[in-house]
Amino acid sequence: MTDKQSARETEQRPVLVVDFGAQYAQLIARRVREAGVYSEIVPHTVTAAEIAAKNPVGIVLSGGPSSVYEPGAPTLDAEIFTLGVPTLGICYGFQVMAQTLGGEVANTGLREYGATDATVKGGGGVLLAGQPEQQNVWMSHGDQVSRAPEGFEVLASTAVTPVAAFGDDARRFYGVQWHPEVKHSDYGQGVLENFLHNAAGIANDWNSGSVIAEQVAKIREQVGTARVICGLSGGVDSAVAAAIVHKAVGDQLVCVFVDHGLMRKDERAQVEQDYVAATGIRLVSIDARDQFLTALAGVTDPEQKRKIIGREFIRTFEQAERELMAEAAADGEPIRFLVQGTLYPDVVESGGSPGAANIKSHHNVGGLPEDLDFELIEPLRALFKDEVRAIGRELGLPEVIVGRQPFPGPGLGIRIVGEITFDRLELLRDADAIVREELTAAGLDQEIWQCPVVLLADVRSVGVQGDGRTYGHPIVLRPVTSEDAMTADWARVPYDVLSRISTRITNEVRDVNRVVVDITSKPPGTIEWE
C-alpha cells in the first residue's frame, strides 16, 4: 500500500459542530472526540453545499447567547436539514432546529439557569436511553420550545419547559434544551454518546494511534526527500509535532533549540538529554542567554519585552537556518519545510480552518518572520491540548515534557514584573521549581491547568526572618483551572499544599519573604500577569 493510499484510507469523516457563538463550542467538539469520534467546528454561516462537501457523519448545533427572535440573530441554512445527516441541537441550536422545522419557540418570561431537574419521558427514546427518569441538567435559556415540530417525540421536560428534549428517529434529528457538554449535566456525555453511536451509528474509532498513522502518511507524501527544520521550544506542542515528523521522515528533520535564558529550571537538560534520548532527533542547541539578557537590560514595559524577545529569537533562528541551509545545499537536499506546533484552538480563534497555512505570532516565541521561505507542516493543527498529550505518550515521549503545563513563548521574561536580570531569573527559577514539585507531590497536576509563578521584582515588603527584619520580594502564585485557556477560574489548592509551598519558598529562595495567591478568574484577569 502506498503512502497516498494510507493517508486516504485513514482520513476521518467529521462530526461538524456548528458554532452559534457559544462559549462552549470548542468544549462540544472535545466531548465528541472523547467519545472516539473526530469533530470540526464550522460557523453558523456555513451553507448546505459547504456542509455536503465535508461529507460529515453527523452535525451538532451549538448553543449561543442570542434569542431566535432577535433581529439579526444567528440562523442556519435550512437546506442543511435536507442532507440526510444525523443532527443534534443543543440549547440555541435546539431552538433553531425546532423553529426551522415547523415547531414553535416562545418567550414566556420563564427562565432556567444553572442546575435544573429534568424528567425523561417514555424511556427517553434513542437519545436518552439507559438514563434515569429524574436527572440533573445544566440550563441557560430564556426562550423555550413550546411545540415540537411534526414527527418529533417529546423525550424530556422540566417544571418550566414542556419540551426540554425531542427526537425524530426517522430523520435522525434530536435536540436537548440543556448543555450536555458541561460536567454539571450528570448524564451529559451519555446524551452525546447515544446520539453519536446509537442514533447516528458512528463508530468510536478515532484515537491517538489513528491520528499518528494519518499524519505520518501525509507528511511522507508532502516532504518526499526534502529536509525539514523545526524550532523546538521544549514545550508540549513543538515536542510532539517534531516527534511525529521525525517518525515520518527520520533524519531529514533537524530541530533548533534556542536557550534564551528565560526557561524554567532544568528545561534545557530535559530537551537535550531526555527528549533526544527518547526520539533520536538531531538537535542543534544555541546558547543565546547573554545575547537576550543584554538586549533586555533596563526594559520594564511588558510589550517591549515581548518584542525584544521575539526579535532576538528571530535573529538567532535565522542564523541557525542559514548555517543549516548551507549544509543541506552541500548535501544536495534543500530545507523546504518548517514544522509548527499549531493547535486546533489557535485555528478556530484566528478564523482559519484545517489546511490553511499562516504563521501566527502566538504559536512560537515572538513569531517567526512571515518571509521565511518554507512550506509549513502542522501535524497538530486539528487537535486539542489533551489530545496532543495523548499522542506524545503514544510516541513514548518523556512524561516530564508531555505533562508539562502550558508555558508562554517569552518564558519567564513575562513572569518578572520589572527589569529582567540574571539574578532575578535564578530567583524565579528556584521558586517555580518548588511550586511544580509540591503540586506534583500533592497529585494536583491533572486538576490544575497552569500555575504561573510571578516575581514582583520592583516591589519589596518588610518581613521577619531569623532574628532580623528583611526587605524582600513577594512571589505570586497563579493556579488556574480551565478547559482551553479561553476562560479560567482560580484553582482551590488545599491550604496544606499552599502552606508547604510558602514555607519552602521563603526558606529556600533568597530575597523572598512573602508568598501570595492570585484568586482572580479570567475574565477579568488574564492567566499571565504580563
Side-chain angles (χ1 to χ4, degrees):
M1 181 170 62
T2 66
D3 289 342
K4 181 177 288 190
Q5 287 174 322
S6 176
R8 185 167 55 246
E9 291 174 9
T10 55
E11 286 178 354
Q12 297 283 330
R13 293 174 59 196
V15 164
L16 297 180
V17 177
V18 179
D19 184 4
F20 284 101
Q23 60 177 321
Y24 293 131
Q26 287 195 34
L27 183 55
I28 294 170
R30 288 186 59 201
R31 296 290 183 250
V32 170
R33 294 186 184 192
E34 287 172 10
V37 178
Y38 177 61
S39 63
E40 293 179 8
I41 300 172
V42 294
H44 69 87
T45 53
V46 68
T47 66
E50 290 169 334
I51 292 278
K54 288 182 174 288
N55 193 24
V57 290
I59 297 171
V60 180
L61 310 178
S62 84
S66 302
S67 165
V68 293
Y69 293 112
E70 289 178 2
T75 58
L76 187 69
D77 183 351
E79 292 298 310
I80 290 172
F81 292 110
T82 69
L83 298 176
V85 180
T87 302
L88 172 68
I90 293 175
C91 193
Y92 183 86
F94 169 62
Q95 296 171 6
V96 167
M97 175 186 281
Q99 187 179 63
T100 304
L101 295 176
E104 292 182 0
V105 179
N107 188 335
T108 63
L110 300 174
R111 302 175 177 228
E112 288 178 312
Y113 293 102
T116 304
D117 291 327
T119 301
V120 175
K121 295 180 174 295
V126 176
L127 188 66
L128 305 179
Q131 298 191 4
E133 183 177 350
Q134 300 295 324
Q135 57 180 274
N136 185 70
V137 300
W138 193 260
M139 291 284 198
S140 180
H141 69 101
D143 298 339
Q144 59 182 255
V145 176
S146 55
R147 181 175 61 82
E150 185 176 347
F152 280 79
E153 177 187 0
V154 176
L155 303 178
S157 63
T158 71
V160 169
T161 305
V163 184
F166 60 34
D168 180 341
D169 292 336
R171 290 182 288 181
R172 295 188 293 177
F173 291 162
Y174 304 88
V176 291
Q177 181 59 70
W178 63 86
H179 287 274
E181 72 275 17
V182 302
K183 298 294 188 184
H184 307 292
S185 292
D186 292 343
Y187 300 92
Q189 187 66 13
V191 173
L192 292 173
E193 292 181 3
N194 277 345
F195 167 71
L196 295 168
H197 305 317
N198 299 331
I202 307 168
N204 59 339
D205 58 0
W206 190 78
N207 52 51
S208 57
S210 62
V211 172
I212 294 169
E214 176 185 348
Q215 287 301 320
V216 165
K218 286 183 175 179
I219 292 165
R220 285 175 180 165
E221 180 181 353
Q222 180 183 7
V223 171
T225 59
R227 293 198 179 186
V228 185
I229 191 171
C230 175
L232 196 64
S233 69
V236 180
D237 304 340
S238 65
V240 175
I244 292 178
V245 175
H246 184 258
K247 184 176 180 66
V249 300
D251 291 343
Q252 291 169 243
L253 170 69
V254 60
C255 290
V256 176
F257 172 72
V258 177
D259 183 359
H260 44 48
L262 307 173
M263 303 185 75
R264 291 173 290 191
K265 195 169 189 177
D266 299 328
E267 284 190 324
R268 179 173 180 174
Q270 289 165 3
V271 173
E272 292 181 334
Q273 298 170 24
D274 300 344
Y275 181 74
V276 171
T279 61
I281 282 176
R282 180 190 173 193
L283 180 68
V284 174
S285 290
I286 301 171
D287 188 343
R289 289 174 292 182
D290 291 341
Q291 170 188 333
F292 277 77
L293 277 176
T294 300
L296 289 165
V299 178
T300 59
D301 178 75
E303 189 57 29
Q304 192 177 357
K305 287 181 190 176
R306 289 178 179 271
K307 290 179 179 178
I308 290 171
I309 293 167
R311 181 195 70 206
E312 295 303 315
F313 180 84
I314 290 168
R315 288 177 177 174
T316 307
F317 188 88
E318 285 181 328
Q319 178 58 38
E321 173 215 338
R322 285 192 290 270
E323 294 173 2
L324 290 168
M325 289 286 275
E327 174 189 305
D331 291 342
E333 289 290 351
I335 298 177
R336 288 179 43 210
F337 297 93
L338 171 70
V339 180
Q340 289 236 126
T342 312
L343 302 190
Y344 193 50
D346 300 325
V347 176
V348 174
E349 291 162 24
S350 60
S353 60
N358 294 304
I359 299 178
K360 300 293 182 181
S361 63
H362 58 282
H363 293 163
N364 45 62
V365 174
L368 293 174
E370 294 186 2
D371 59 356
L372 281 180
D373 191 22
F374 294 123
E375 296 177 49
L376 284 186
I377 299 176
E378 297 175 299
L380 311 180
R381 190 176 178 85
L383 303 177
F384 290 100
K385 191 75 154 190
D386 52 347
E387 295 166 340
V388 172
R389 295 189 198 278
I391 287 173
R393 293 183 177 102
E394 183 87 10
L395 291 167
L397 301 189
E399 185 62 30
V400 69
I401 289 178
V402 174
R404 181 169 292 167
Q405 292 180 357
F407 191 59
L412 298 180
I414 59 169
R415 292 184 178 175
I416 294 177
V417 180
E419 182 184 4
I420 300 170
T421 67
F422 176 79
D423 287 343
R424 288 175 173 180
L425 284 167
E426 289 294 285
L427 184 158
L428 182 53
R429 260 188 280 272
D430 289 342
D432 177 84
I434 289 171
V435 173
R436 287 187 288 135
E437 287 172 12
E438 291 298 332
L439 292 178
T440 298
L444 296 174
D445 287 343
Q446 300 303 313
E447 296 181 29
I448 295 177
W449 169 267
Q450 194 174 359
C451 185
V453 179
V454 180
L455 171 64
L456 302 184
D458 291 341
V459 176
R460 287 183 179 270
S461 63
V462 174
V464 178
Q465 290 172 299
D467 295 325
R469 291 166 67 83
T470 60
Y471 195 49
H473 299 289
I475 284 285
V476 180
L477 311 182
R478 175 69 166 135
V480 298
T481 59
S482 179
E483 288 281 355
D484 50 23
M486 296 179 69
T487 60
D489 192 15
W490 60 281
R492 275 60 168 178
V493 179
Y495 291 155
D496 60 331
V497 178
L498 291 175
S499 177
R500 286 196 299 273
I501 290 173
S502 178
T503 299
R504 285 195 59 191
I505 289 177
T506 52
N507 283 347
E508 299 174 31
V509 181
R510 57 184 174 75
D511 294 333
V512 174
N513 63 0
R514 197 176 296 268
V515 176
V516 300
V517 180
D518 181 348
I519 59 169
T520 313
S521 63
K522 175 188 178 181
T526 55
I527 293 178
E528 298 289 348
W529 271 48
E530 290 202 339

